[in-house]
Amino acid sequence: MGDKIIPVGDSAKGAKLFKQRCAQCHTTEHGGKHKTGPNLSGLFGRKTGQAKGFSYTAANQNKGITWGEDTLFVYLEAPKKYIPGTKMVFAGLKKSQERADLIAHLKEATKKP
């Protein structure tokens, strides 16, 4: 996991990606509602399967990793490969720059106030 170099992300491009590819299932604002996927507020530094009030699969709850740039970079490439058994249907972002841009946006958008 640590052998992949994460490019510098562009938050503005990441915001567009989030709107196009993620917002149907996720929200980012503090206190936001869960949709098909969990609200992502406070994502960085949180363990998998830990957003209060969201019904996760055992696979997500038991993965036991902490979300950060490195783990998200790998996860967002192929979620079902990284967490087999997840109910997330998103196929992933194959382009490393797109993943970096999305992560840059998420770092800003999911900060707790």
Side-chain angles (χ1 to χ4, degrees), residues 1-59:
M1 175 170 41
D3 58 348
K4 291 197 177 203
I5 296 172
I6 302 172
V8 174
D10 180 322
S11 181
K13 289 180 180 177
K16 288 179 185 173
L17 275 169
F18 185 86
K19 189 174 183 181
Q20 294 167 347
R21 310 289 290 278
C22 312
Q24 179 179 348
C25 296
H26 294 282
T27 58
T28 57
E29 65 276 358
H30 183 67
K33 295 186 180 214
H34 298 306
K35 292 180 164 182
T36 304
N39 170 274
L40 301 176
S41 178
L43 175 67
F44 287 81
R46 184 170 72 206
K47 288 201 177 287
T48 52
Q50 301 298 315
K52 284 187 178 180
F54 187 77
S55 177
Y56 287 96
T57 62

Side-chain angles (χ1 to χ4, degrees), residues 28-104:
T28 57
E29 65 276 358
H30 183 67
K33 295 186 180 214
H34 298 306
K35 292 180 164 182
T36 304
N39 170 274
L40 301 176
S41 178
L43 175 67
F44 287 81
R46 184 170 72 206
K47 288 201 177 287
T48 52
Q50 301 298 315
K52 284 187 178 180
F54 187 77
S55 177
Y56 287 96
T57 62
N60 277 79
Q61 291 173 338
N62 298 331
K63 181 69 176 178
I65 58 102
T66 300
W67 291 121
E69 289 181 52
D70 56 342
T71 51
L72 280 169
F73 191 73
V74 176
Y75 176 72
L76 290 170
E77 183 175 15
K80 288 189 178 293
K81 182 178 177 187
Y82 191 65
I83 303 180
T86 184
K87 62 184 174 184
M88 185 158 138
V89 297
F90 180 61
L93 293 170
K94 302 305 173 213
K95 295 179 182 173
S96 61
Q97 188 61 56
E98 286 185 347
R99 293 195 311 276
D101 293 344
L102 181 57
I103 290 166

